[in-house]
Amino acid sequence: MTQAKPRYLETLHQAWGQSFVMDEVLFEAKTEHQHLVIFQNAQWGRVMALDGMIQTTERDEFIYHEMLTHVPMFTHPEPKSVLIIGGGDGGILREVLKHSSVTSVTQVEIDAQVVEMCKTYFPKHSDGAFDDARLNLVIGDGVAFVNDTDLSFDVIISDSTDPVGPGEVLFTSRFYTGIKRCLNSGGVFVAQNGVSFLQTDEVLTSEQRLSPLFEKVGFYSAAVPTYVGGIMTFAWASQDLKPNGLDLNSLQARYQQAGFKTRYYNPGLHQACFALPQYLLDAL
Ligand code: AG3
C-alpha cells in the first residue's frame, strides 16, 4: 500500500485553513528570522510558506505581483527610483524592472536566506532581476532603513508577510513615518494588507495609522487564489497622487507604450480595483 503524502496546513487563520499535498519537500529550515518551507504541489507548482503562512506559488504569483507593482507604477507619470520592502522572492522586483523609466531600485529584505532559496527554487519569480545593474539589495530591517536613509523614492512597495513575526513592524506608525520621509513629492506608497474579509482589523489599523500622515489614503483589491478567504486588499497612500479615478484612455496609452505583457493587470482592472465591497466600506 502506498502511504498518503504529507500535507501542509496553513495556520494563518484561527479555526480554518487550507492544506496542500506536499509531493516533495524541497527545502525546510529555521532561518535567522522565520520558519521557511518550500514544497512541490501538483496544483500550484512550487509553494513557499513562512511561519505557517502561504507566501507565494508558481501558478498564481503573477496576480499579486502585478497588482502590487503596476497599479502604483502606472499611477506615477514617470517612476525613476523605487523602494521595495520585503519581497525576497523577487517577484515585485521583476515587475518593477519592466518599466523602462526606472533608473534605480533599492530593495530591503530582512531574511537573506529567503532571497537565496528563492533564487534556487523560484527562478522564474526573479527571472534574473537580482542581477540587474539598477538594483541595490540591502539585507536589513525595513523600518530602520526608511527612517535612516538619505535616499528618496517615487514609488515605495511593501511586500511584507502578515503582521505577525518579522512582518509586524511593517504595519506600524514608525514604519509609515519613515515611508513619508523618504517618499518624493508626487510619489505613491502601496502595501499588502491581507484578505479583508478575515483580516478586517488589519485594513482598519492601516487606515488609522496612514491617514494622519498622508493626504490621500485608500485601498484596492484582487482575488489571489492561494491567499484564501476572499479578496486580497492593498493599501495606498500619497500626498498628492491618486491611483484611482485615472482616465482610462491615458492609462491605456501608457500601458501600450510600456510595451510589456501582463497576465492579470490591465488598464480596465486598474480602474475597477478601487471599488470595494460594502462590508469593507462600512467597516472603514
Ligand atoms: N507577501 C504577502 C503574503 C500575504 C499572505 N497573507 C494572507 N494570505 N493573508 C508574500 C510575498 C510575495 N512576494
Side-chain angles (χ1 to χ4, degrees):
M1 237 185 55
T2 51
Q3 265 206 317
K5 286 180 182 156
R7 277 177 171 263
Y8 185 88
L9 175 67
E10 185 178 42
T11 52
L12 172 59
H13 308 295
Q14 279 200 341
W16 168 77
Q18 61 181 333
S19 81
F20 294 75
V21 172
M22 294 192 285
D23 292 330
E24 187 187 351
V25 177
L26 298 160
F27 185 80
E28 174 160 21
K30 179 92 193 62
T31 74
E32 237 181 274
H33 300 278
Q34 49 211 337
H35 180 239
L36 165 63
V37 189
I38 299 170
F39 60 85
Q40 182 72 37
N41 172 269
Q43 182 74 57
W44 298 105
R46 289 182 178 176
V47 181
M48 174 173 75
L50 289 171
D51 289 346
M53 294 168 264
I54 298 302
Q55 297 302 311
T56 197
T57 85
E58 283 185 316
R59 301 268 154 78
D60 69 352
E61 57 88 10
F62 67 95
I63 303 175
Y64 174 89
H65 291 130
E66 289 183 10
M67 288 303 277
L68 195 50
T69 303
H70 300 311
V71 170
M73 293 297 282
F74 279 117
T75 295
H76 194 289
E78 203 192 4
K80 292 188 178 129
S81 52
V82 179
L83 173 64
I84 300 167
I85 302 289
D89 53 59
I92 297 286
L93 179 63
R94 176 195 71 208
E95 294 302 317
V96 164
L97 290 171
K98 288 181 179 169
H99 292 258
S100 58
S101 60
V102 172
T103 54
S104 71
V105 183
T106 303
Q107 176 163 0
V108 184
E109 161 63 53
I110 195 148
D111 200 329
Q113 210 170 358
V114 170
V115 176
E116 283 320 306
M117 289 307 119
C118 288
K119 281 187 191 168
T120 304
Y121 293 108
F122 293 90
K124 287 185 221 139
H125 270 59
S126 51
D127 196 23
F130 285 117
D131 299 322
D132 195 289
R134 292 170 287 177
L135 172 67
N136 173 28
L137 177 65
V138 179
I139 299 299
D141 176 6
V143 181
F145 182 88
V146 294
N147 282 289
D148 294 344
T149 185
D150 293 330
L151 300 171
S152 62
F153 306 93
D154 295 327
V155 171
I156 303 179
I157 301 175
S158 175
D159 178 15
S160 71
T161 51
D162 287 72
V164 269
E168 194 173 351
V169 292
L170 301 180
F171 293 83
T172 57
S173 298
R174 189 168 141 65
F175 178 60
Y176 300 140
T177 306
I179 296 292
K180 179 181 173 167
R181 71 174 277 287
C182 66
L183 186 65
N184 285 336
S185 67
V188 59
F189 165 67
V190 294
Q192 81 85 0
N193 258 249
V195 287
S196 59
F197 188 84
L198 297 168
Q199 296 169 293
T200 313
D201 283 353
E202 200 177 311
V203 179
L204 301 188
T205 308
S206 295
E207 145 105 325
Q208 278 158 17
R209 293 177 183 170
L210 286 166
S211 293
L213 297 169
F214 295 90
E215 290 293 319
K216 303 168 206 292
V217 173
F219 297 89
Y220 64 100
S221 81
V224 183
T226 58
Y227 299 154
V228 289
I231 53 168
M232 160 63 55
T233 318
F234 307 100
W236 65 268
S238 178
Q239 303 301 11
D240 32 34
L241 214 61
K242 275 182 85 183
N244 57 344
L246 297 178
D247 170 65
L248 187 60
N249 288 333
S250 52
L251 267 177
Q252 248 150 6
R254 287 206 49 211
Y255 178 68
Q256 251 144 41
Q257 209 189 4
F260 58 81
K261 282 205 160 57
T262 52
R263 287 201 286 154
Y264 187 87
Y265 175 91
N266 59 39
L269 263 177
H270 186 137
Q271 279 203 319
C273 68
F274 296 93
L276 299 175
Q278 196 57 37
Y279 70 79
L280 194 54
L281 293 179
D282 288 347
L284 287 162

